[in-house]
Amino acid sequence: MRVRNKPWAADKLAEHTNYVVTNPEALKGKWNDHFEKNQPIHIEVGSGKGQFIVGMAKQNPDINYIGIERQTSVAVMALDKILESELPNVKLLNTDGGLISDYFEAGEVDRVYLNFSDPWPKYKHEKRRLTYRSFLENYQTILKANGEVHFKTDNQGLFEYSLGSFSQYGMVLNQVWLDLHASDYEGNVRTEYEEKFAAKGQPIYRVEAQFKD
């Protein structure tokens, strides 16, 4: 995602510690103490401009959501959506999603969302894909037993790679959509990228993959 640099973005994120967590390591194992209610925790790795995570928080007030976005100039746009909504069940981390096992205790998270992740198409970059084995290990560590990863993308190559990666890791593919918007799936919250690709007529791929206990 190429976004114009916003030199003021870091300062704005730092001003809103009620929504932006600046010390996630300190909350490891105690995340629900940072929310108004003790509820299941869902995280989105690579939350972009925040449309998905805010939409999900609105749709499901009985779940606590945490969006993780490493690009400061992008994270501040997610913060704007959160501030506008004033939702008590959503937080934001401006940090690297690859370090999530440093931020969450084993079994602390109920679900992980990956939406329109960078496909890193070159084979030499395989280890950077968010569905690569090392990332799956981190997700499994922080998820409760039988936890799920929900993955959406417009990239057929990445989708096929991810299905293989999930399967090789021993995960169960509970549901697979090859054209999500043409299906009868209800409750889908679209990301900014999803709207862009769907407007071009591109199919959206989706899978719900579950770790075996």
Side-chain angles (χ1 to χ4, degrees):
M1 180 187 298
R2 294 183 178 179
V3 177
R4 181 178 298 174
N5 181 51
K6 299 178 176 64
W8 45 266
D11 289 338
K12 183 169 182 177
L13 291 171
E15 291 172 0
H16 295 280
T17 54
N18 53 330
Y19 290 117
V20 183
V21 178
T22 57
N23 59 337
E25 297 91 345
L27 294 180
K28 186 174 182 178
K30 300 178 288 186
W31 275 98
N32 261 317
D33 295 341
H34 201 60
F35 286 92
E36 287 189 3
K37 297 180 180 178
N38 189 324
Q39 304 180 142
I41 295 174
H42 291 188
I43 70 171
E44 182 187 16
V45 181
S47 54
K49 299 176 184 178
Q51 183 166 300
F52 177 83
I53 202 74
V54 170
M56 291 295 286
K58 289 179 179 178
Q59 184 172 284
N60 304 289
D62 56 342
I63 296 172
N64 290 331
Y65 289 91
I66 302 170
I68 303 173
E69 175 55 51
R70 67 181 180 85
Q71 296 189 61
T72 303
S73 293
V74 177
V76 76
M77 289 188 273
L79 173 62
D80 286 339
K81 291 185 176 67
I82 295 172
L83 291 173
E84 182 180 353
S85 302
E86 295 185 336
L87 295 165
N89 63 325
V90 61
K91 304 292 181 184
L92 184 64
L93 301 186
N94 178 209
T95 189
D96 186 352
L99 303 175
I100 54 175
S101 58
D102 291 338
Y103 308 143
F104 299 97
E105 191 64 75
E108 189 171 17
V109 175
D110 293 81
R111 184 173 297 166
V112 172
Y113 296 98
L114 305 173
N115 294 313
F116 300 87
S117 309
D118 192 326
W120 293 106
K122 294 182 180 180
Y123 179 74
K124 65 180 180 180
H125 294 149
E126 179 187 11
K127 293 182 179 180
R128 299 184 183 183
R129 298 170 191 163
L130 293 185
T131 52
Y132 182 69
R133 182 179 182 87
S134 60
F135 286 101
L136 299 184
E137 290 173 353
N138 279 338
Y139 306 149
Q140 185 176 28
T141 295
I142 67 171
L143 281 167
K144 286 182 168 58
N146 300 313
E148 295 183 353
V149 174
H150 290 193
F151 175 64
K152 281 196 293 187
T153 183
D154 67 299
N155 189 292
Q156 183 178 352
L158 179 61
F159 190 68
E160 292 173 351
Y161 169 85
S162 300
L163 294 181
S165 184
F166 293 146
S167 297
Q168 290 168 18
Y169 195 80
M171 299 176 72
V172 177
L173 305 182
N174 287 333
Q175 296 191 74
V176 177
W177 291 262
L178 300 180
D179 192 347
L180 178 63
H181 295 176
S183 74
D184 58 359
Y185 178 76
E186 297 181 356
N188 181 50
V189 174
R190 299 191 182 196
T191 75
E192 292 89 351
Y193 271 137
E194 186 171 353
E195 291 183 340
K196 174 183 176 181
F197 295 128
K200 295 180 179 179
Q202 295 177 226
I204 303 301
Y205 305 96
R206 186 177 188 272
V207 60
E208 295 180 0
Q210 185 175 31
F211 290 101
K212 293 181 181 179
D213 186 10

Short mmCIF file of all heavy atoms in Angstrom, two decimals, residues 55-79:
data_model
loop_
_atom_site.label_atom_id
_atom_site.label_comp_id
_atom_site.label_asym_id
_atom_site.label_seq_id
_atom_site.Cartn_x
_atom_site.Cartn_y
_atom_site.Cartn_z
N GLY A 55 -16.05 -1.68 10.96
CA GLY A 55 -17.32 -2.28 10.56
C GLY A 55 -17.67 -3.50 11.37
O GLY A 55 -18.83 -3.71 11.77
N MET A 56 -16.67 -4.33 11.65
CA MET A 56 -16.90 -5.53 12.45
C MET A 56 -17.26 -5.16 13.90
O MET A 56 -18.12 -5.79 14.51
CB MET A 56 -15.67 -6.42 12.43
CG MET A 56 -15.40 -7.07 11.08
SD MET A 56 -16.67 -8.25 10.57
CE MET A 56 -16.30 -9.64 11.65
N ALA A 57 -16.59 -4.15 14.44
CA ALA A 57 -16.88 -3.71 15.81
C ALA A 57 -18.30 -3.18 15.93
O ALA A 57 -18.98 -3.40 16.95
CB ALA A 57 -15.87 -2.66 16.25
N LYS A 58 -18.78 -2.49 14.91
CA LYS A 58 -20.15 -1.99 14.91
C LYS A 58 -21.14 -3.15 14.83
O LYS A 58 -22.17 -3.16 15.50
CB LYS A 58 -20.38 -1.06 13.72
CG LYS A 58 -19.70 0.29 13.81
CD LYS A 58 -19.99 1.10 12.55
CE LYS A 58 -19.37 2.48 12.62
NZ LYS A 58 -19.61 3.26 11.36
N GLN A 59 -20.82 -4.11 13.99
CA GLN A 59 -21.72 -5.22 13.72
C GLN A 59 -21.78 -6.21 14.88
O GLN A 59 -22.80 -6.87 15.09
CB GLN A 59 -21.24 -5.94 12.45
CG GLN A 59 -22.12 -7.08 11.96
CD GLN A 59 -21.67 -7.59 10.61
OE1 GLN A 59 -21.91 -6.97 9.58
NE2 GLN A 59 -20.99 -8.71 10.58
N ASN A 60 -20.68 -6.29 15.66
CA ASN A 60 -20.60 -7.28 16.73
C ASN A 60 -20.14 -6.64 18.04
O ASN A 60 -18.98 -6.77 18.44
CB ASN A 60 -19.62 -8.39 16.32
CG ASN A 60 -19.97 -9.04 15.01
OD1 ASN A 60 -20.94 -9.78 14.91
ND2 ASN A 60 -19.18 -8.77 13.99
N PRO A 61 -21.03 -5.95 18.73
CA PRO A 61 -20.65 -5.26 19.97
C PRO A 61 -20.24 -6.21 21.10
O PRO A 61 -19.67 -5.77 22.10
CB PRO A 61 -21.91 -4.48 20.34
CG PRO A 61 -23.03 -5.20 19.67
CD PRO A 61 -22.45 -5.73 18.39
N ASP A 62 -20.52 -7.51 20.93
CA ASP A 62 -20.17 -8.49 21.95
C ASP A 62 -18.79 -9.10 21.74
O ASP A 62 -18.43 -10.10 22.38
CB ASP A 62 -21.22 -9.60 21.99
CG ASP A 62 -21.41 -10.29 20.63
OD1 ASP A 62 -21.01 -9.71 19.60
OD2 ASP A 62 -21.97 -11.40 20.60
N ILE A 63 -18.00 -8.50 20.83
CA ILE A 63 -16.63 -8.95 20.56
C ILE A 63 -15.69 -7.75 20.64
O ILE A 63 -16.04 -6.65 20.21
CB ILE A 63 -16.53 -9.59 19.16
CG1 ILE A 63 -17.37 -10.86 19.10
CG2 ILE A 63 -15.07 -9.91 18.81
CD1 ILE A 63 -17.48 -11.46 17.71
N ASN A 64 -14.51 -7.95 21.22
CA ASN A 64 -13.49 -6.90 21.27
C ASN A 64 -12.53 -7.09 20.09
O ASN A 64 -12.03 -8.20 19.87
CB ASN A 64 -12.71 -6.96 22.58
CG ASN A 64 -13.56 -6.53 23.77
OD1 ASN A 64 -14.48 -5.73 23.63
ND2 ASN A 64 -13.24 -7.06 24.94
N TYR A 65 -12.28 -6.01 19.36
CA TYR A 65 -11.46 -6.06 18.14
C TYR A 65 -10.17 -5.26 18.31
O TYR A 65 -10.17 -4.17 18.90
CB TYR A 65 -12.24 -5.52 16.95
CG TYR A 65 -13.37 -6.42 16.50
CD1 TYR A 65 -14.65 -6.27 17.02
CD2 TYR A 65 -13.14 -7.43 15.58
CE1 TYR A 65 -15.69 -7.10 16.62
CE2 TYR A 65 -14.17 -8.27 15.17
CZ TYR A 65 -15.43 -8.11 15.69
OH TYR A 65 -16.45 -8.95 15.30
N ILE A 66 -9.10 -5.80 17.75
CA ILE A 66 -7.81 -5.12 17.73
C ILE A 66 -7.28 -5.13 16.31
O ILE A 66 -7.08 -6.20 15.73
CB ILE A 66 -6.80 -5.80 18.67
CG1 ILE A 66 -7.35 -5.83 20.11
CG2 ILE A 66 -5.46 -5.07 18.62
CD1 ILE A 66 -6.52 -6.70 21.05
N GLY A 67 -7.07 -3.94 15.75
CA GLY A 67 -6.49 -3.82 14.42
C GLY A 67 -5.00 -3.54 14.51
O GLY A 67 -4.58 -2.68 15.28
N ILE A 68 -4.21 -4.26 13.74
CA ILE A 68 -2.76 -4.10 13.76
C ILE A 68 -2.29 -3.60 12.40
O ILE A 68 -2.51 -4.26 11.37
CB ILE A 68 -2.06 -5.44 14.08
CG1 ILE A 68 -2.56 -5.99 15.42
CG2 ILE A 68 -0.55 -5.27 14.11
CD1 ILE A 68 -2.06 -7.38 15.74
N GLU A 69 -1.67 -2.42 12.38
CA GLU A 69 -1.20 -1.81 11.14
C GLU A 69 0.15 -1.15 11.39
O GLU A 69 0.27 -0.28 12.23
CB GLU A 69 -2.21 -0.78 10.63
CG GLU A 69 -1.76 0.01 9.41
CD GLU A 69 -1.34 -0.89 8.24
OE1 GLU A 69 -2.13 -1.79 7.87
OE2 GLU A 69 -0.23 -0.68 7.71
N ARG A 70 1.17 -1.58 10.65
CA ARG A 70 2.53 -1.09 10.91
C ARG A 70 2.83 0.25 10.27
O ARG A 70 3.69 0.98 10.74
CB ARG A 70 3.56 -2.12 10.44
CG ARG A 70 3.62 -2.35 8.95
CD ARG A 70 4.67 -3.40 8.60
NE ARG A 70 4.76 -3.66 7.18
CZ ARG A 70 5.49 -2.94 6.33
NH1 ARG A 70 6.19 -1.93 6.79
NH2 ARG A 70 5.52 -3.22 5.04
N GLN A 71 2.13 0.62 9.19
CA GLN A 71 2.40 1.89 8.53
C GLN A 71 1.68 3.03 9.25
O GLN A 71 0.45 3.08 9.28
CB GLN A 71 1.96 1.85 7.06
CG GLN A 71 2.73 0.85 6.22
CD GLN A 71 2.41 1.00 4.75
OE1 GLN A 71 2.64 2.05 4.14
NE2 GLN A 71 1.87 -0.06 4.14
N THR A 72 2.44 3.91 9.83
CA THR A 72 1.88 4.99 10.65
C THR A 72 0.92 5.87 9.87
O THR A 72 -0.15 6.24 10.37
CB THR A 72 3.02 5.84 11.24
OG1 THR A 72 3.89 4.99 11.99
CG2 THR A 72 2.47 6.93 12.14
N SER A 73 1.28 6.22 8.64
CA SER A 73 0.42 7.10 7.83
C SER A 73 -0.87 6.42 7.42
O SER A 73 -1.84 7.10 7.05
CB SER A 73 1.18 7.57 6.59
OG SER A 73 2.26 8.41 6.96
N VAL A 74 -0.92 5.10 7.48
CA VAL A 74 -2.15 4.35 7.21
C VAL A 74 -2.93 4.16 8.50
O VAL A 74 -4.15 4.34 8.53
CB VAL A 74 -1.82 2.99 6.57
CG1 VAL A 74 -3.09 2.18 6.34
CG2 VAL A 74 -1.08 3.18 5.25
N ALA A 75 -2.22 3.84 9.57
CA ALA A 75 -2.88 3.61 10.86
C ALA A 75 -3.65 4.84 11.32
O ALA A 75 -4.71 4.71 11.95
CB ALA A 75 -1.85 3.21 11.90
N VAL A 76 -3.16 6.02 11.01
CA VAL A 76 -3.84 7.23 11.45
C VAL A 76 -5.19 7.39 10.74
O VAL A 76 -6.12 7.97 11.31
CB VAL A 76 -2.95 8.48 11.24
CG1 VAL A 76 -2.91 8.90 9.77
CG2 VAL A 76 -3.41 9.63 12.12
N MET A 77 -5.32 6.85 9.54
CA MET A 77 -6.61 6.88 8.86
C MET A 77 -7.59 5.91 9.51
O MET A 77 -8.80 6.18 9.59
CB MET A 77 -6.42 6.55 7.38
CG MET A 77 -5.72 7.65 6.60
SD MET A 77 -5.68 7.37 4.80
CE MET A 77 -4.18 6.39 4.69
N ALA A 78 -7.08 4.80 10.01
CA ALA A 78 -7.93 3.89 10.77
C ALA A 78 -8.38 4.56 12.07
O ALA A 78 -9.54 4.44 12.49
CB ALA A 78 -7.17 2.60 11.06
N LEU A 79 -7.46 5.28 12.70
CA LEU A 79 -7.80 6.00 13.92
C LEU A 79 -8.93 6.99 13.67
O LEU A 79 -9.85 7.12 14.51
CB LEU A 79 -6.58 6.73 14.47
CG LEU A 79 -6.84 7.66 15.66
CD1 LEU A 79 -7.37 6.88 16.85
CD2 LEU A 79 -5.56 8.41 16.04
#
